[in-house]
């Protein structure tokens, strides 16, 4: 089997995570975050819909990391994203990080909204 090194260009992948934090591009961030190919910002959690709606023209899908376990998105968040035409895929935060990294390496227009584990 041939293995190829993953290239992320200028985008920073999620390197790791733990209780209350994420390590992105070698830097540690605490609390809920929004991560895109252009940077990292804090996120107010499920009630902070505006932070996700601001990504409308920048991404095709947002992977919503719901913490240690997968959970449904609150109906108000799901409705707002659907109405804006933004795809949202809830999954556990570890799975969201892995999926984001793979699609980021392919140059896809993806974002992460993360709740810490």
């Amino acid at each position: 089997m041939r293995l190829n090194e993953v290239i992320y260009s200028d985008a920073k992948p999620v390197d790791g995570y733990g209780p209350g934090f994420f390590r992105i591009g070698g830097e540690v961030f605490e609390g809920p975050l929004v991560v895109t190919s252009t940077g990292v910002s804090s996120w107010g959690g499920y009630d902070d819909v505006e932070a996700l709606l601001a990504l409308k023209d920048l991404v095709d899908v947002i992977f919503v990391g719901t913490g240690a376990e997968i959970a449904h998105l609150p109906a108000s968040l799901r409705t707002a994203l659907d109405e804006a035409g933004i795809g949202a895929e809830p999954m556990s935060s570890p799975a969201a990080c892995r999926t984001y990294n793979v699609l980021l390496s392919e140059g896809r227009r993806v974002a992460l909204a993360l709740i810490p584990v």
Side-chain angles (χ1 to χ4, degrees):
M1 175 195 295
R2 181 178 174 182
L3 299 176
N4 296 319
E5 182 178 351
V6 176
I7 306 296
Y8 291 101
S9 65
D10 291 335
K12 296 179 181 173
V14 178
D15 300 324
Y17 50 86
F21 76 92
F22 296 94
R23 191 174 60 245
I24 300 165
E27 188 175 347
V28 174
F29 297 88
E30 294 184 359
L33 303 172
V34 172
V35 183
T36 68
S37 63
T38 59
V40 179
S41 60
S42 62
W43 179 45
Y46 298 133
D47 294 329
D48 188 4
V49 177
E50 293 304 316
L52 303 183
L53 294 178
L55 302 173
K56 181 180 192 263
D57 296 324
L58 304 174
V59 300
D60 297 320
V61 65
I62 299 172
F63 299 108
V64 182
T66 58
E69 302 292 329
I70 190 169
H72 291 286
L73 297 180
S76 59
L77 176 60
R78 170 63 76 186
T79 299
L81 294 173
D82 286 347
E83 288 175 356
I86 301 172
E89 294 294 331
M91 54 187 72
S92 69
S93 291
C97 291
R98 290 189 301 270
T99 304
Y100 172 80
N101 283 350
V102 169
L103 295 181
L104 185 68
S105 74
E106 295 174 354
R108 303 281 300 273
R109 294 172 11 121
V110 295
L112 273 173
L114 292 168
I115 303 290
V117 293

